[in-house]
């Protein structure tokens, strides 16, 4: 994998400390379903901007996390070299989502417009709260309401009216003064 072609790479976890003497490593998963990180292989492992692939040959639950064994790593010394490395995948490996569902990364950078045509800004981030996800919308620099940022609940139907993938725009029912 060349360094230039990293735009489609998504970090899905991180390798922890070595476990045992046979080259196993602790795995910290960032995926919604933590075990889902093992659904794809090989993994892209990133360290200091360099990428390589590692093939998971075995894994298991360990305490509150996971441990994994890789084809290319056979002892504790080799495993040490991968401590704290990022576990990534190419976005092409992501499963297709059903109609109306989105990956967070797809929403970042989209324009957010009220159903009355007022531009609220662009999606800068998303937050997970206990009850629902929240869009963090960075307001336009000349926002008429003096807002720098808005937090808009991602509630389909009541707040989120339409997500137009091709137009990169989200239509919301939202008071710009909020």
């Amino acid at each position: 994998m060349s360094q230039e072609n990293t735009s489609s790479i998504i970090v899905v976890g991180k390798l922890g400390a070595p476990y045992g003497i046979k080259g196993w490593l602790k795995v910290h998963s960032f995926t919604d379903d933590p075990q889902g990180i093992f659904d794809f292989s090989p993994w892209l492992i990133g360290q200091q901007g360099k990428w390589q692939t590692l093939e998971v040959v075995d894994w298991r639950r360990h305490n509150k996390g996971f441990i994994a064994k890789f084809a290319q790593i056979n002892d504790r010394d080799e495993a040490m070299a991968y401590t704290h490395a990022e576990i990534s995948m190419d976005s092409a490996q992501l499963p297709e989502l059903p109609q109306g569902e989105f990956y967070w990364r797809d929403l970042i950078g989209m324009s957010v417009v009220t159903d009355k045509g007022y531009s609220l800004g662009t999606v800068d981030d998303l937050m997970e709260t206990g009850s629902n996800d929240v869009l963090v919308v960075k307001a336009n620099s000349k926002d008429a309401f003096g807002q720098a940022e808005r937090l808009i609940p991602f509630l389909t139907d009541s707040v989120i009216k339409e997500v137009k993938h091709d137009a990169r725009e989200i239509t919301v029912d939202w008071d710009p003064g909020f």
Side-chain angles (χ1 to χ4, degrees), residues 103-115:
Y103 286 111
W104 277 14
R105 65 181 184 84
D106 295 338
L107 302 176
I108 305 280
M110 281 192 175
S111 302
V112 182
V113 179
T114 69
D115 51 3

Side-chain angles (χ1 to χ4, degrees), residues 1-176:
M1 163 115 334
S2 70
Q3 283 177 266
E4 300 81 50
N5 188 24
T6 56
S7 62
S8 63
I9 291 179
I10 301 162
V11 175
V12 293
K14 189 175 182 180
L15 292 173
Y19 176 81
I21 59 170
K22 296 186 176 171
W24 288 70
L25 282 149
K26 291 180 181 169
V27 173
H28 305 286
S29 174
F30 302 158
T31 56
D32 269 354
D33 168 19
Q35 193 170 306
I37 196 168
F38 298 103
D39 289 346
F40 66 92
S41 185
W43 288 354
L44 285 172
I45 304 297
Q47 291 178 296
Q48 287 93 42
K50 301 218 183 325
W51 297 91
Q52 74 177 94
T53 56
L54 288 183
E55 184 184 345
V56 178
V57 291
D58 197 5
W59 67 273
R60 64 178 76 116
R61 288 188 174 282
H62 178 71
N63 296 334
K64 292 183 179 163
F66 303 97
I67 55 173
K69 173 74 177 86
F70 302 91
Q72 302 88 331
I73 303 173
N74 297 303
D75 64 43
R76 188 175 182 86
D77 290 341
E78 289 175 9
M80 284 294 288
Y82 293 94
T83 301
H84 305 304
E86 290 182 332
I87 303 166
S88 305
M89 61 185 278
D90 192 295
S91 60
Q93 291 174 277
L94 290 171
E96 286 288 318
L97 291 176
Q99 187 70 34
E101 289 189 24
F102 313 96
Y103 286 111
W104 277 14
R105 65 181 184 84
D106 295 338
L107 302 176
I108 305 280
M110 281 192 175
S111 302
V112 182
V113 179
T114 69
D115 51 3
K116 298 186 180 40
Y118 185 82
S119 173
L120 297 173
T122 55
V123 178
D124 190 46
D125 198 3
L126 286 106
M127 294 186 318
E128 203 172 344
T129 66
S131 53
N132 55 272
D133 297 334
V134 174
L135 293 174
V136 178
V137 179
K138 187 172 195 249
N140 303 311
S141 58
K142 294 182 175 72
D143 187 82
F145 295 88
Q147 302 283 347
E149 178 180 274
R150 289 181 178 86
L151 301 179
I152 301 175
F154 197 89
L155 298 170
T156 48
D157 299 331
S158 62
V159 176
I160 306 297
K161 293 302 178 187
E162 188 178 11
V163 177
K164 299 179 202 148
H165 266 293
D166 295 342
R168 307 264 316 129
E169 184 178 275
I170 302 170
T171 305
V172 296
D173 178 2
W174 195 253
D175 179 346

